[in-house]
Amino acid sequence: MKEVTQDQVVSCLQALGVGTGDGLLTHSAVQFLGWPRGGVGMYLEAILSVIGSAGTLVVPTFNFAFARGERYDPTSTPSAGMGAFSEYVRQHPQARRTPHPMQSVAVIGYYAEDLVRRDTLSAFDPGSAFERMLELDFKLLLLGADARAISMFHYCEQRASVPYRYWKEFSGEVRTPLGWQKRTYRMFVRDLDLNPQLTLDPVVAEMQARGEWRSVSLNYGQVSVCKLKDFVAAADRFLAADPWSLVLNRPQNESQNVSSSD
């Protein structure tokens, strides 16, 4: 397997326009970029060296065990299925974590305190850390990850009230600064009967055509960057035109409804 160095990652970020003071919502699948010299922490060092002390790094640290009745401790509950880099950042001494027990993020940097104090019923509600990243003009960074990993799409789905998801509440014990408390949160969950299979390729293609999405190759994968607000605007356009437009296995009756309305 080819090696990845810190200098290579820094060069990729700079080529994509990442710079001092940037906020980055980062999704990763670093196994597709090669073998990291010095370990996965090399990516954190590379990012922080580019964005500096005025920058902010955010990674998803989702874990859905709370929905199965397990307790959530933001200081110790691991992320699940978010990749080695996200879990590394979560465990970093400087990292802070948002309180949502299923769709949390870990934050290092300038806006950490601002983001982690936001405790909303849904992780994507008005006033949430995700919405605040939009307000702060964060960028989206994909380190080897596919566009389907972009958590911000859930923000778009929630605002569009897509028909293949529905609201569900979950209650359980959450560790807070005041100790363990019984808390209730909600999530806009997938309809498992429909089992929607999503693609964000059309969104990326439109953004590329507009010059809003930039990528560079690194060994076996790609590093991509865009403005978070540009991604949300593009996804919103697709969902507004047809809420099923990004579902690969859309129900046949929905296809017929669209055809009959044309």
Side-chain angles (χ1 to χ4, degrees), residues 150-247:
I150 300 173
S151 55
M152 199 68 189
F153 185 60
H154 300 318
Y155 175 80
C156 302
E157 290 178 310
Q158 179 173 317
R159 294 203 304 174
S161 297
V162 294
Y164 52 84
R165 290 185 177 271
Y166 65 95
W167 285 110
K168 189 171 182 179
E169 290 190 344
F170 301 90
S171 297
E173 292 192 347
V174 175
R175 187 173 184 177
T176 75
L178 300 176
W180 289 98
Q181 295 182 349
K182 182 72 173 292
R183 304 288 296 274
T184 298
Y185 288 86
R186 65 177 188 165
M187 194 165 59
F188 201 35
V189 300
R190 284 186 308 140
D191 186 328
L192 295 181
D193 290 333
L194 295 173
N195 192 26
Q197 304 300 308
L198 298 169
T199 176
L200 292 179
D201 290 346
V203 177
V204 173
E206 180 180 291
M207 294 182 69
Q208 288 173 329
R210 290 170 168 257
E212 297 170 344
W213 183 282
R214 301 177 65 188
S215 299
V216 293
S217 296
L218 179 56
N219 290 339
Y220 316 101
Q222 289 192 323
V223 180
S224 302
V225 170
C226 70
K227 285 192 172 185
L228 202 55
K229 65 182 181 182
D230 288 340
F231 171 79
V232 168
D236 282 350
R237 286 192 293 270
F238 277 89
L239 295 179
D242 175 7
W244 294 95
S245 61
L246 300 172
V247 179

Side-chain angles (χ1 to χ4, degrees), residues 15 56 90 110 125 140 207 226 260-261:
T56 307
R90 183 196 69 80
Y110 189 80
D125 278 348
L140 176 67
M207 294 182 69
C226 70
S260 63
S261 63

Side-chain angles (χ1 to χ4, degrees), residues 112-147:
E113 291 295 332
D114 184 339
L115 295 175
V116 301
R117 67 179 175 81
R118 295 171 181 274
D119 190 6
T120 50
L121 290 179
S122 161
F124 303 96
D125 278 348
S128 65
F130 281 94
E131 185 167 84
R132 181 61 173 152
M133 284 187 273
L134 270 184
E135 296 170 351
L136 294 171
D137 201 21
F138 268 48
K139 292 177 179 176
L140 176 67
L141 169 63
L142 300 184
L143 291 173
D146 184 270

Side-chain angles (χ1 to χ4, degrees), residues 43 49 57 70-71 92 104 148 150 181 200 226 238:
Y43 288 101
S49 73
L57 170 67
E70 295 186 23
R71 301 202 301 178
H92 194 276
S104 63
R148 288 175 297 178
I150 300 173
Q181 295 182 349
L200 292 179
C226 70
F238 277 89

